[in-house]
Amino acid sequence: MSVQIDAQGDLRHFLTTEGLDPRLLGRILDTAESFAGVLGKSVKTVPLLRGRTVVNLFFESSTRTRTTFELAAKRLSADVLNIAVDTTTTKGESLLDMLRNLQAMQADMFVVRHHQSGAAEYFARHVDPGVAVLNAGDGWHAHPTQAMLDAFTIRRHKGAFEPLRIAIVGDIRHSRVARSQIHAFNALGAGEVRVIAPDTLLPADVDTLGAQVYSDLNAGLRDADVVIALRLQRERMQGALLPGESEYFRHYGLTESRLRGAHPDAIVMHPGPINRGVEIDSALADGPRSVILDQVTNGIAVRMAVMTMVLGVRPDTPREAS
Ligand code: NCD
């Protein structure tokens, strides 16, 4: 059985969207919807994780993901510890020793971002019973909360997944986001998931991912309802995979005019950080089709949902008197 699911079929850790039961994914979205309601009020805090400690353990840089995990934990009234591990100056301590020390401080949850694929699962296999691990991005492998906040944003703008054509454009090869999105969107019943990229930016196992592959941007965008741009992840590229940024923009950059072949109501998304003029033009990123900032806002509700689910806390649980 998968390490992230317990004997009752509930979420115990959140490491990947791959192989997850569509009902569980739907429950994440529904729970997030209830938290989005809370976040719309003037008092945005609920006491569901009061007394619990969440440790944000980031071995790689992050802006949106780390801060929205922190806000999510604070909105749930948890105590939050933010640890940015500078891997160049660690004093030789092993991951396991670091984990044991943090557990000795009675942490209830670790939010882990690491440059190595499989790091979050390693943590999940070694934490004490009752301690949960959330994957905030491991190498090229998975970024499940990003995929779920994207799914949440799509559902809010478009409703049901079944009729949707979703096109993901850009550096698929190095993108943990794209992998998690493809698994989640397919499980949620999307009509068609497409990836659009030059051959050098496609992963070797692209044919097994469950997406239609396009190398021509116009063909891939035709009638798309949702268009997701990805950043060129140069920090993960070895050697010259690209002729240059302006050449890349000419062939794969998203612009208003390029979007003409997509559905007239198509929305444009990006997990951030965006590189204007490389994968997306400013007019499109800031224009009426763009839901890029909604994605950031929605990340808080989705992360609140996952945090309560892995600790077995339900939003409708009666609140203890304060
Ligand atoms: C992504 C990541 O870190 O995988 N960003 C994010 O979490 N919002 C994508 C990227 O870095 O390009």
Side-chain angles (χ1 to χ4, degrees):
M1 202 209 310
S2 139
V3 64
Q4 64 181 350
I5 305 296
D6 68 14
Q8 286 72 46
D10 290 327
L11 205 57
R12 162 94 180 72
H13 306 284
F14 195 31
L15 307 176
T16 175
T17 52
E18 187 172 2
L20 273 192
D21 184 339
R23 278 170 307 182
L24 202 53
L25 296 177
R27 207 178 325 141
I28 295 175
L29 299 182
D30 293 342
T31 309
E33 199 61 64
S34 75
F35 285 125
V38 172
L39 294 171
K41 298 188 176 151
S42 54
V43 176
K44 299 178 173 54
T45 314
V46 288
L48 293 169
L49 295 191
R50 180 178 293 155
R52 312 283 190 121
T53 304
V54 174
V55 177
N56 268 331
L57 196 51
F58 279 63
F59 295 83
E60 242 188 23
S61 67
S62 170
T63 311
R64 278 150 291 270
T65 304
R66 197 194 61 68
T67 46
T68 51
F69 263 116
E70 179 177 353
L71 258 183
K74 287 182 168 161
R75 299 291 188 232
L76 292 166
S77 311
D79 296 318
V80 190
L81 220 61
N82 288 310
I83 306 181
V85 187
D86 180 352
T87 42
T88 55
T89 59
T90 42
K91 299 178 181 174
E93 186 180 35
S94 73
L95 271 187
L96 205 52
D97 280 327
M98 180 182 289
L99 181 66
R100 287 190 181 126
N101 279 271
L102 291 165
Q103 282 199 142
M105 301 171 203
Q106 296 175 313
D108 297 286
M109 190 186 306
F110 291 100
V111 178
V112 181
R113 170 170 284 197
H114 199 282
H115 42 84
Q116 257 172 22
S117 301
E121 179 171 340
Y122 178 83
F123 269 80
R125 289 190 184 280
H126 290 89
V127 286
D128 292 339
V131 177
V133 176
L134 305 185
N135 185 4
D138 63 328
W140 304 7
H141 173 238
H143 194 351
T145 58
Q146 177 70 45
M148 293 313 292
L149 72 87
D150 295 331
F152 183 81
T153 305
I154 293 171
R155 196 173 80 163
R156 281 198 136 190
H157 284 273
K158 295 279 166 199
F161 280 86
E162 285 72 18
L164 300 181
R165 295 187 181 92
I166 304 176
I168 309 170
V169 189
D171 185 0
I172 312 294
R173 179 171 175 168
H174 303 100
S175 179
R176 52 196 177 201
V177 175
R179 281 178 181 274
S180 288
Q181 286 173 335
I182 295 168
H183 294 309
F185 299 161
N186 280 326
L188 288 164
E192 193 181 331
V193 182
R194 303 171 180 172
V195 293
I196 310 170
D199 283 352
T200 48
L201 295 183
L202 288 170
D205 63 349
V206 67
D207 292 333
T208 66
L209 290 180
Q212 307 293 318
V213 182
Y214 290 82
S215 58
D216 180 71
L217 180 61
N218 292 332
L221 291 181
R222 199 156 301 134
D223 300 324
D225 303 282
V226 176
V227 180
I228 304 174
L230 297 175
R231 183 176 67 87
L232 290 176
Q233 295 170 77
R234 293 207 173 272
E235 71 278 16
R236 301 207 173 105
M237 293 184 195
Q238 277 162 358
L241 294 180
L242 289 168
E245 286 181 352
S246 53
E247 177 79 353
Y248 178 81
F249 184 72
R250 220 150 46 77
H251 291 286
Y252 292 97
L254 292 179
T255 62
E256 287 282 3
S257 66
R258 274 264 160 81
L259 262 271
R260 278 199 203 114
H263 190 281
D265 293 330
I267 55 170
V268 174
M269 304 175 65
H270 193 306
I274 65 174
N275 286 313
R276 293 167 184 267
V278 181
E279 70 269 3
I280 191 165
D281 168 61
S282 272
L284 191 61
D286 303 331
R289 289 173 183 277
S290 170
V291 298
I292 294 172
L293 295 178
D294 286 4
Q295 290 173 262
V296 179
T297 307
N298 292 338
I300 304 167
V302 168
R303 289 175 171 130
M304 288 171 80
V306 174
M307 285 174 154
T308 52
M309 286 171 70
V310 292
L311 291 184
V313 176
R314 294 190 180 270
D316 50 10
T317 311
R319 294 179 196 174
E320 51 187 80
S322 50

